[in-house]
Amino acid sequence: MTRHVAVTGAASGIGRALAAQLTARGDTVIGVDLAGAEVCADLSTPEGRREAADGIRERCGGVLDALVTCAGVAKPGRLMVSVNYFGTTELVTALRPELAAAEQPRVGAVGSISGTQPNDPRTVAACLAGDEAAALARADEVVALDEAQKLYPSTKAALAQWVRRTCVAPGWADAGIALNAVAPGVVLTPMSAALVDDERMLEVIRQAVPMPLNGHAAPEAVAHALGWLIAPENTHMTGQVVYVDGGAEVTLRGPEDF
Ligand code: NAI
């Protein structure tokens, strides 16, 4: 029987590539995005997340085989915290019962190599506490302190920690739900276009995210990794952050850190 897989951010980039691959392998994809998807909802707000969860529930008939959260933003500010962190954690949590009802349920989140870079520990802590109001207030402070560059790493580090905390908490692994994340390096999508198209920025990015294995990635490369994480074949991997980054993480952190 066809598996029902919900994909957020399905209208662009990695989410779009994944939706195409899943459709080609016979899955029924329920795309979620601001526009141009089966379920149109704004994952930056609690109401939008509820709408997204309701729309997915309706289309999957109460049994959700997999959920992949690709929706994200790169512009520092409140939206980044709301979409990148809470847009994943609240949606995944809301759909836990529908996932638990499936035979081989799987969840894939999208982190980033940036999750290994310097972050703002107070933003990370507020996210992990589930306190969106505090996280948003701290995001304002971080921007005001001229440390806006720490926000994206903060959302992605918090997300990676949430995946690791949640995957073995009651109701997840013991319900057969595998929960993992990918952490891409630089992926050639609309999100990164402005950076890689600018010769000066490109050099900065090459230094910050060195990718000796095959350079900057096509979105399909990350989608293939997600496709395996949420496949029935993934019977025993959970709580892992899988770097799909052309060797950036190992170059930056060295062989001892794993
Ligand atoms: P993209 O910009 O091509 O696609 C992101 C999608 O998320 C868009 O369709 C957008 O409409 C949707 N989205 C944004 N805000 C939303 C909201 N409030 N509600 C619902 N949908 C919303 O970006 P890309 O590159 O495909 O990014 C996907 C994920 O990969 C993001 O989480 C991003 O942080 C992550 N990532 C991307 C990298 C890159 O170099 N492109 C590198 C590392 C991680």
Side-chain angles (χ1 to χ4, degrees):
M1 220 171 64
T2 177
R3 297 175 89 228
H4 286 89
V5 183
V7 178
T8 75
S12 178
I14 296 168
R16 186 156 95 169
L18 177 65
Q21 290 176 4
L22 296 177
T23 303
R25 81 183 189 194
D27 293 343
T28 298
V29 174
I30 305 165
V32 180
D33 211 303
L34 290 169
E38 284 75 24
V39 177
C40 293
D42 181 355
L43 294 167
S44 72
T45 67
E47 309 81 64
R49 291 167 207 144
R50 273 196 292 276
E51 278 171 30
D54 288 345
I56 293 169
R57 259 183 219 114
E58 199 178 299
R59 281 169 177 76
C60 74
V63 179
L64 185 61
D65 297 285
L67 170 60
V68 185
T69 56
C70 300
V73 295
K75 187 164 177 274
R78 293 180 146 236
L79 210 53
M80 176 175 269
V81 171
S82 291
V83 180
N84 295 9
Y85 184 80
F86 292 97
T88 282
T89 58
E90 284 206 347
L91 187 68
V92 173
T93 303
L95 290 165
R96 201 206 66 80
E98 287 71 23
L99 288 159
E103 273 185 26
Q104 294 156 315
R106 311 279 184 261
V107 177
V110 181
S112 170
I113 180 66
S114 302
T116 63
Q117 288 165 352
N119 63 39
D120 175 61
R122 285 175 59 187
T123 304
V124 174
C127 286
L128 286 168
D131 190 339
E132 188 166 3
L136 295 179
R138 180 60 189 165
D140 288 342
E141 287 173 9
V142 171
V143 173
L145 288 166
D146 216 10
E147 296 198 329
Q149 78 285 355
K150 290 188 177 171
L151 267 189
Y152 187 76
S154 303
T155 63
K156 295 300 188 177
L159 186 58
Q161 288 184 47
W162 181 84
V163 164
R164 293 180 64 76
R165 283 180 178 196
T166 307
C167 68
V168 288
W172 295 88
D174 59 14
I177 305 171
L179 169 55
N180 293 284
V182 293
V186 178
V187 188
L188 299 170
T189 69
M191 182 181 278
S192 62
L195 297 176
V196 298
D197 291 349
D198 176 331
E199 220 20 76
R200 258 182 346 154
M201 277 314 296
L202 190 58
E203 202 35 53
V204 174
I205 291 171
R206 283 205 184 105
Q207 300 288 331
V209 186
M211 297 177 66
L213 180 69
N214 295 325
H216 296 161
E220 287 74 14
V222 181
H224 279 302
L226 284 163
W228 184 82
L229 290 175
I230 62 158
E233 288 78 11
N234 176 19
T235 55
H236 283 78
M237 185 191 285
T238 198
Q240 300 306 305
V241 178
V242 181
Y243 290 88
V244 186
D245 65 354
E249 187 267 343
V250 77
T251 304
L252 295 168
R253 297 214 286 197
E256 298 84 12
D257 208 347
F258 59 89

